[in-house]
């Protein structure tokens, strides 16, 4: 799915998705021939996790830390 579609399905704006991309919270799975970024369903789940964590009071820095631990297989959740 494209950035726009990811944003729509995640209930955020395109600007929010791009902000998360810059921070490394989301990652594109690939690109179209025209250069559009493509995202997997896993990234939609990640986006929803980010939004839920924020609604619970977590900062983006804390969410980044959660993802860092997860990549190291030491998830605090």
């Amino acid at each position: 799915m494209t950035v726009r579609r990811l944003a729509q399905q995640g209930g955020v704006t395109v600007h929010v998705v791009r902000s998360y991309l810059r921070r490394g919270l989301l990652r594109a799975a690939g690109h179209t021939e025209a250069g559009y970024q493509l995202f997997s369903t896993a990234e939609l789940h990640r986006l929803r996790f980010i939004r839920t964590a924020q609604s619970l009071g977590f900062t983006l820095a804390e969410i980044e830390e959660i993802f860092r631990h997860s990549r190291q297989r030491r998830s605090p959740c």
Side-chain angles (χ1 to χ4, degrees):
M1 71 187 84
T2 63
V3 170
R4 182 174 304 282
R5 177 81 182 227
L6 179 66
Q8 288 171 342
Q9 290 193 7
V12 298
T13 66
V14 170
H15 297 290
V16 168
V17 171
R18 289 191 177 129
S19 171
Y20 293 169
L21 283 165
R22 282 191 299 276
R23 288 188 77 121
L25 291 168
L26 296 174
R27 294 191 179 105
H31 292 81
T32 66
E33 288 183 23
Y36 291 102
Q37 292 175 310
L38 295 174
F39 298 89
S40 67
T41 305
E43 290 306 294
L44 176 58
H45 294 294
R46 215 170 148 93
L47 174 59
R48 289 179 177 158
F49 175 86
I50 294 166
R51 300 305 287 176
T52 300
Q54 284 184 306
S55 74
L56 294 171
F58 287 91
T59 66
L60 289 179
E62 291 168 329
I63 296 166
E64 288 171 341
E65 185 69 19
I66 290 168
F67 286 153
R68 193 170 16 264
H69 284 290
S70 178
R71 281 192 301 276
Q72 297 170 351
R73 306 254 188 236
R74 298 183 308 137
S75 178
C77 297

